[in-house]
Amino acid sequence: MVKATDRNQATRRIPIEGVDMLSLLGPNDRNLRLLETVFDCEAYLRGGELVVTGEEQAVSELENTLRRVIALVQTGKNPQVTEIGEIARRVREGDSAEGELYEPSNVYFTGMKKVIKARGNGQSRYLRMIAENDIVIGIGPAGTGKTYLAVAAAVDSFNKKRVKRIILARPAVEAGERLGFLPGDMQEKVDPYLRPLYDALKDMVQPEKLEKYLENGTIEIAPIAFMRGRTLHDAFVILDEAQNATRLQMKMFLTRLGVNSKAVITGDKTQIDLPRPDQSGLLQVEEILKGIDGIGFTYFTDEDVVRHRLVRDIVRAYQAAGEDEEEQLRLPGTR
């Protein structure tokens, strides 16, 4: 075991609140003892955290392994010692951890109106990235399930009491003059922009429960501008259509995150509706947030499209037409 006098010693704390402890640690903590032996580190439970201490690289590898095991447990799995040992081996060898343990069929959510499973390796990687990071940015074309799966992950976290609230936000690109001419109050004006989020929730939550959650604020759907000045604790927060958030809006959204909260940001760089596309906050975070521990990026391609079979062909056709032509055709406020 690592001594306190060893050089290059590091300590990491891994939150495990809401995780099934028996599935994670195993009978008599045998899973944890195995990982201690493999990585020559010390790991122990303190409150709602696992504390890992040892040589810096070994601690990093053990933390990576634990986060992947936690991701398996959060999908309803009860990983065995041999399975955990295989994950540890892959981490030590620098493997991307794809393969048998990470097949799409192993990633699913229950306890909703229907079982929701990852369809394809892209979706599987995305859901595991969400499980292993506090902030995840999913970027890719329409039809890849970015928003739907993010909402599913949020509902799953809420059902398992890992968070107390779900907050879904979208930029209302036309929140200026044109929106002002729409009939109704502010909620009625912005509802058309938020409708896809309502649709996803209706597919996962029983109608009477959804109505109750929306009324008491347990689930909140609002334009991104409504996030200003707030601190969001114990919440699963989603920013959809993030390509239409300005740089200032994106920074404001990211800095709302409070204690025990998780954020998922989704967007498509080819569908920016801002008057100045270069001011998209999605483009900026892609440049400046990479490499920060706890922030993960997932990229989808046309191969990951899961809608009607023609959607993939349509996406490819537009890509083949070239972005210059797309820019000439795009008008502000249209999709």
Side-chain angles (χ1 to χ4, degrees):
M1 223 31 80
V2 176
K3 308 298 183 186
T5 55
D6 286 355
R7 295 182 178 181
N8 300 321
Q9 191 177 42
T11 299
R12 301 284 176 84
R13 300 177 183 274
I14 306 166
I16 56 171
E17 260 186 60
V19 179
D20 184 276
M21 299 301 293
L22 182 60
S23 297
L24 175 63
L25 304 180
N28 300 316
D29 294 346
R30 68 182 184 189
N31 297 346
L32 202 57
R33 302 289 82 84
L34 168 70
L35 294 175
E36 282 185 316
T37 301
V38 170
F39 294 101
D40 192 20
C41 291
E42 181 181 2
Y44 55 91
L45 188 64
R46 175 174 290 174
E49 298 177 322
L50 274 174
V51 182
V52 181
T53 303
E55 190 274 328
E56 188 168 359
Q57 181 175 346
V59 166
S60 179
E61 292 175 346
L62 176 50
E63 180 188 21
N64 193 353
T65 302
L66 277 170
R67 290 190 181 279
R68 293 179 181 183
V69 175
I70 289 170
L72 278 179
V73 172
Q74 288 176 333
T75 61
K77 291 287 183 178
N78 184 18
Q80 303 302 304
V81 169
T82 53
E83 201 170 7
I84 292 172
E86 176 65 12
I87 295 175
R89 181 189 67 80
R90 293 183 180 189
V91 169
R92 295 196 72 177
E93 294 177 357
D95 193 275
S96 64
E98 292 182 30
E100 184 179 353
L101 294 177
Y102 290 82
E103 284 297 313
S105 60
N106 285 340
V107 185
Y108 58 92
F109 298 118
T110 58
M112 305 184 192
K113 288 173 66 175
K114 63 182 181 181
V115 175
I116 297 173
K117 295 184 178 182
R119 296 171 60 187
N121 288 324
Q123 290 195 354
S124 180
R125 288 192 299 270
Y126 181 50
L127 289 179
R128 293 202 183 282
M129 185 75 71
I130 292 173
E132 295 172 3
N133 293 273
D134 289 333
I135 298 176
V136 170
I137 296 97
I139 299 174
T144 51
K146 303 183 300 296
T147 303
Y148 190 83
L149 290 177
V151 174
V155 173
D156 182 69
S157 291
F158 176 77
N159 287 343
K160 293 177 178 175
K161 303 188 185 303
R162 293 199 291 268
V163 297
K164 297 178 181 178
R165 302 181 62 198
I166 297 173
I167 299 174
L168 312 175
R170 263 191 169 198
V173 176
E174 300 296 334
E177 179 182 6
R178 297 186 188 180
L179 187 60
F181 285 104
L182 292 175
D185 59 21
M186 178 56 68
Q187 189 63 45
E188 291 171 325
K189 292 174 188 290
V190 300
D191 267 356
Y193 296 94
L194 308 175
R195 182 53 51 189
L197 300 175
Y198 284 106
D199 291 342
L201 282 170
K202 287 178 180 178
D203 209 23
M204 302 172 195
V205 183
Q206 296 294 340
E208 62 279 3
K209 286 187 176 181
L210 179 58
E211 183 177 356
K212 173 186 174 183
Y213 293 150
L214 289 170
E215 285 181 357
N216 64 24
T218 299
I219 297 179
E220 180 180 350
I221 307 177
I224 187 175
F226 287 26
M227 300 295 106
R228 187 173 300 279
R230 304 173 63 182
T231 301
L232 306 173
H233 297 303
D234 297 307
F236 197 118
V237 193
I238 298 172
L239 174 58
D240 190 36
E241 297 289 333
Q243 74 276 0
N244 289 327
T246 66
R247 295 184 174 194
L248 288 176
Q249 286 177 326
M250 181 66 76
K251 180 181 178 182
M252 178 270 290
F253 175 83
L254 288 168
T255 54
R256 299 308 92 199
L257 209 61
V259 177
N260 190 42
S261 291
K262 184 184 289 284
V264 177
I265 297 165
T266 68
D268 180 354
K269 293 187 293 183
T270 69
Q271 297 196 47
I272 300 174
D273 294 329
L274 295 171
R276 289 187 55 189
D278 63 313
Q279 291 299 305
S280 169
L282 184 64
L283 300 182
Q284 185 185 44
V285 296
E286 188 183 19
E287 296 174 358
I288 68 176
L289 296 187
K290 280 190 175 179
I292 297 179
D293 188 37
I295 300 180
F297 284 80
T298 298
Y299 291 90
F300 295 89
T301 70
D302 54 73
E303 294 291 338
D304 299 309
V305 172
V306 294
R307 288 183 185 167
H308 191 287
R309 64 176 182 83
L310 287 177
V311 173
R312 181 181 302 176
D313 295 335
I314 291 169
V315 170
R316 289 175 175 171
Y318 272 97
Q319 290 174 343
E323 293 189 2
D324 290 339
E325 181 179 346
E326 186 180 76
E327 279 296 325
Q328 294 173 7
L329 293 173
R330 187 190 296 130
L331 296 175
T334 62
R335 299 299 295 272

